[in-house]
Amino acid sequence: MKRNAIIRIIAWTVSLVILVGLLIAGMNWFRPFGSRTAEAELTPVTVSGGHFTRDIREIEIDWVSGNIRLMPADVESIEVSETGVEDAKYAMVWELEGQTLKIEYCKNPTFGDLKNLKFSKDLTITVPRDWEGRTLAVDAASAKLSVQDLTLQEVEVDAASGECQFKNCAVDALDIDTASGDIDFEGRLNRLDCDSASASVRAVLDNVPYEIDMDTASGDLELYLLEDAGFSVSMDTMSGKFDSTFPTTTKNGRYVCGDGACQIDISSMSGGVTIRSK
């Protein structure tokens, strides 16, 4: 077990070096959304934002820094707006591709632009209250993501830092890859896959998830589950601890409670697992 942990430490170190290099270069945060013809160029959006049909099912966001907010409101269409634009050439841009709305921080920045970007912008997306979303994908450097009162089939977040907050949400699959941004989830969640260096996960759940998989150096997993929840926990760690208010037994190297329905697997150097009753 210790040998595996040492191998992971080396892998995490290499990954962090690569991540820092990407941040310095900045290009990863502005990779184009596939090939674009003259007719498919991203369209600049003013500070007042844009309005899009409720038929959109997928939203993809490529952002650098600031706040990203996604929430329902009493609106008939999907509304997108930003604040904090200091120069019109750094206004966000968007592209519609079928039922997918793609949003970028700004259009075709040069390396010099990236070095001179000293401001953060806030992105706000409001959707109709009965909107049926399929996928939310966020690629960010240090932006904070906030999602509220929404049902989504799949959420993917790839970030260096910046918190991810989900309040009163129902998500089938949540996949997060981050260096140091903590995750706070409240609502219903079936599957969680989290890879991080030091980010911790706190989840207060109204259901019993199917599976939770976490690979981290020092991040902790803190779960609040229903009183009758069943789970099975496997830990591959050097110094991480397991703590639970639920009665558990040990079977085949796993901590088991009840029917063991929720499969929890964590690999860490020092990150622990805490499970509490709601």
Side-chain angles (χ1 to χ4, degrees):
M1 182 181 294
K2 290 186 177 180
R3 182 179 179 182
N4 292 337
I6 292 173
I7 292 174
R8 285 197 304 275
I9 293 171
I10 295 173
W12 285 324
T13 302
V14 172
S15 298
L16 286 174
V17 170
I18 294 173
L19 179 60
V20 171
L22 289 173
L23 285 175
I24 293 174
M27 297 309 295
N28 185 52
W29 312 115
F30 297 97
R31 62 179 183 273
F33 292 121
S35 59
R36 296 177 184 139
T37 63
E39 292 77 21
E41 282 292 324
L42 292 177
T43 304
V45 180
T46 63
V47 177
S48 60
H51 297 260
F52 306 92
T53 172
R54 65 166 59 228
D55 292 335
I56 289 171
R57 292 292 177 262
E58 300 182 2
I59 298 177
E60 298 180 7
I61 302 170
D62 204 344
W63 211 251
V64 179
S65 62
N67 296 306
I68 301 172
R69 302 184 183 93
L70 178 60
M71 65 195 76
D74 295 324
V75 294
E76 293 300 322
S77 60
I78 295 176
E79 300 180 1
V80 179
S81 63
E82 68 172 356
T83 57
V85 183
E86 296 184 352
D87 190 320
K89 73 176 182 177
Y90 295 130
M92 68 177 176
V93 291
W94 57 265
E95 176 185 7
L96 275 177
E97 188 175 284
Q99 292 185 317
T100 302
L101 172 61
K102 302 179 180 183
I103 302 170
E104 281 194 34
Y105 192 80
C106 62
K107 183 177 181 179
N108 300 328
T110 65
F111 181 70
D113 289 333
L114 296 176
K115 291 196 302 182
N116 294 326
L117 284 176
K118 299 179 180 179
F119 62 91
S120 63
K121 301 191 299 179
D122 293 342
L123 173 67
T124 300
I125 303 173
T126 55
V127 300
R129 294 194 182 278
D130 59 350
W131 180 64
E132 297 180 1
R134 184 165 55 237
T135 302
L136 170 66
V138 178
D139 195 348
S142 60
K144 177 180 177 180
L145 174 65
S146 176
V147 183
Q148 180 177 335
D149 299 325
L150 287 180
T151 297
L152 294 162
Q153 293 181 21
E154 184 178 3
V155 177
E156 298 180 3
V157 180
D158 191 348
S161 63
E163 298 177 4
C164 295
Q165 295 183 346
F166 299 84
K167 185 174 182 180
N168 193 30
C169 290
V171 177
D172 183 45
L174 176 59
D175 188 343
I176 295 183
D177 193 341
T178 181
S180 60
D182 291 341
I183 299 97
D184 195 336
F185 189 99
E186 295 182 10
R188 300 179 63 85
L189 178 64
N190 288 330
R191 296 176 179 86
L192 169 65
D193 189 345
C194 178
D195 291 329
S196 77
S198 61
S200 293
V201 175
R202 175 182 176 272
V204 182
L205 302 179
D206 298 329
N207 69 315
V208 180
Y210 302 146
E211 60 183 7
I212 296 175
D213 193 343
M214 187 170 176
D215 195 338
T216 179
S218 59
D220 295 319
L221 174 63
E222 183 179 2
L223 292 176
Y224 292 84
L225 300 176
L226 301 174
E227 291 184 355
D228 58 351
F231 57 82
S232 173
V233 180
S234 172
M235 296 183 65
D236 185 2
T237 179
M238 290 185 67
S239 60
K241 305 297 183 182
F242 174 76
D243 183 28
S244 173
T245 58
F246 289 85
T248 61
T249 58
T250 303
K251 183 178 181 180
N252 298 326
R254 302 182 71 95
Y255 300 98
V256 180
C257 173
D259 59 7
C262 176
Q263 296 290 303
I264 303 171
D265 293 275
I266 182 168
S267 297
S268 74
M269 182 173 66
S270 61
V273 176
T274 300
I275 303 180
R276 299 280 184 264
S277 174
K278 287 186 60 177

